[in-house]
């Protein structure tokens, strides 16, 4: 039954019934479901009082393998570069913190880092969900990410967002021919190495639509 429901959800997706909606970050106790394609976000007044000119992408928190987290950090740096004048991505951040001997999880080091680099804002990505399922006639992935933009103090939140996306392929085994086609599509989806980077980009692109563009201000 679960596989049938998942397959029907996929057909609904392919039929174009999904739409992206935007709602307050604290709008409810439950996180968005797969078919909602809902982005939750919060832009604080502090953002407009102190718009970020430069921001640093911090280490990715939460679940997930190291390689996946590295993809999230690089993608976050790329997407934020379209919103602010300068972004210090994961590789440059690692080089700077090693050279300066700073630990950005320490408030004092964050303050000294901000003074040395003239980069006073930070983005902390968090992996909320990273799941993969495979059941012979169905393969699916689910990725959920949170981003928080702060000042030097972690409590000084300027913006935050959450979004998750789901992709899958397969079908209903209503005949031997349909069974074979579903197995092929499921295997193809499971082996698609471009799917995860594409899903990460989708999540970040939708979330960052809610971030004001402050380049050149």
């Amino acid at each position: 039954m679960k596989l049938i429901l998942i397959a029907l959800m996929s057909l609904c997706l392919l039929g174009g019934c999904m739409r992206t909606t935007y709602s307050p970050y604290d709008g409810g106790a439950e996180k968005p479901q797969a078919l909602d394609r809902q982005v939750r976000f919060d832009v604080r007044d502090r953002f407009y009082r102190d718009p970020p000119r430069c921001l640093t992408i911090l280490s990715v928190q939460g679940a997930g393998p190291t390689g996946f987290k590295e993809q999230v950090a690089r993608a976050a740096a790329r997407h934020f570069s379209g919103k602010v004048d300068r972004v210090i991505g994961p590789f440059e951040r690692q080089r700077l913190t090693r050279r300066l001997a700073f630990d950005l999880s320490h408030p004092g080091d964050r303050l000294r880092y901000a003074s040395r680099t003239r980069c006073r804002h930070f983005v902390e990505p968090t992996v909320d969900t990273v799941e993969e399922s495979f059941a012979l006639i169905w393969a699916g992935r689910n990725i959920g990410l949170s981003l928080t933009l702060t000042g030097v103090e972690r409590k000084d939140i300027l913006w935050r967002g959450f979004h998750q996306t789901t992709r899958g392929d397969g079908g209903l085994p209503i005949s031997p021919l349909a069974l074979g086609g579903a197995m092929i599509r499921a295997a193809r989806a499971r082996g698609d190495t471009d799917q995860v980077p594409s899903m990460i980009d989708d999540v970040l692109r939708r979330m960052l639509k809610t971030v004001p563009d402050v380049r050149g201000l």
Side-chain angles (χ1 to χ4, degrees):
M1 177 63 69
K2 184 177 179 181
L3 289 176
I4 293 174
L5 289 174
I6 292 173
L8 290 174
M9 287 166 60
S10 178
L11 292 174
C12 186
L13 257 166
L14 294 173
C17 64
M18 287 192 68
R19 63 189 181 92
T20 303
T21 60
Y22 294 84
S23 62
Y25 192 91
D26 292 323
E30 295 184 0
K31 289 184 177 179
Q33 300 301 309
L35 286 180
D36 290 342
R37 207 160 77 180
Q38 186 182 53
V39 177
R40 291 186 175 174
F41 74 100
D42 179 18
V43 184
R44 304 285 178 87
D45 291 341
R46 190 187 308 273
F47 187 101
Y48 301 100
R49 292 198 303 267
D50 183 24
R53 304 285 187 262
C54 171
L55 54 83
T56 298
I57 306 297
L58 296 174
S59 298
V60 179
Q61 304 301 307
T66 300
F68 176 79
K69 290 183 175 181
E70 289 173 351
Q71 290 183 68
V72 171
R74 292 195 300 269
R78 185 171 66 256
H79 283 274
F80 269 104
S81 67
K83 296 293 183 175
V84 302
D85 290 326
R86 184 188 177 203
V87 175
I88 296 178
F91 298 128
E92 185 179 0
R93 184 204 72 233
Q94 291 170 2
R95 180 175 57 81
L96 286 169
T97 53
R98 281 197 298 265
R99 179 167 62 84
L100 299 171
F102 289 157
D103 177 2
L104 296 184
S105 64
H106 188 279
D109 279 0
R110 281 166 69 108
L111 181 61
R112 286 186 284 271
Y113 171 92
S115 177
R116 290 289 297 272
T117 62
R118 297 183 179 180
C119 199
R120 300 183 296 105
H121 294 91
F122 300 85
V123 172
E124 183 169 274
T126 300
V127 178
D128 295 282
T129 306
V130 54
E131 298 173 339
E132 181 174 336
S133 59
F134 181 69
L136 192 62
I137 59 170
W138 179 263
R141 291 186 174 96
N142 183 24
I143 292 173
L145 304 175
S146 299
L147 296 175
T148 305
L149 170 59
T150 71
V152 173
E153 296 288 339
R154 273 201 165 99
K155 63 182 180 180
D156 296 336
I157 297 174
L158 283 72
W159 170 91
R160 57 182 177 163
F162 168 83
H163 181 48
Q164 69 180 20
T165 191
T166 301
R167 287 192 197 176
D169 203 355
L172 297 174
I174 57 177
S175 70
L177 185 61
L179 174 62
M183 292 173 63
I184 291 171
R185 290 195 300 275
R188 185 183 297 124
R190 188 186 191 192
D192 186 358
T193 57
D194 291 333
Q195 191 176 86
V196 169
S198 176
M199 292 176 70
I200 292 171
D201 274 333
D202 282 350
V203 171
L204 294 174
R205 173 175 49 80
R206 292 170 188 148
M207 260 198 290
L208 265 68
K209 283 185 177 181
T210 68
V211 178
D213 187 343
V214 294
R215 290 173 295 176
L217 293 182

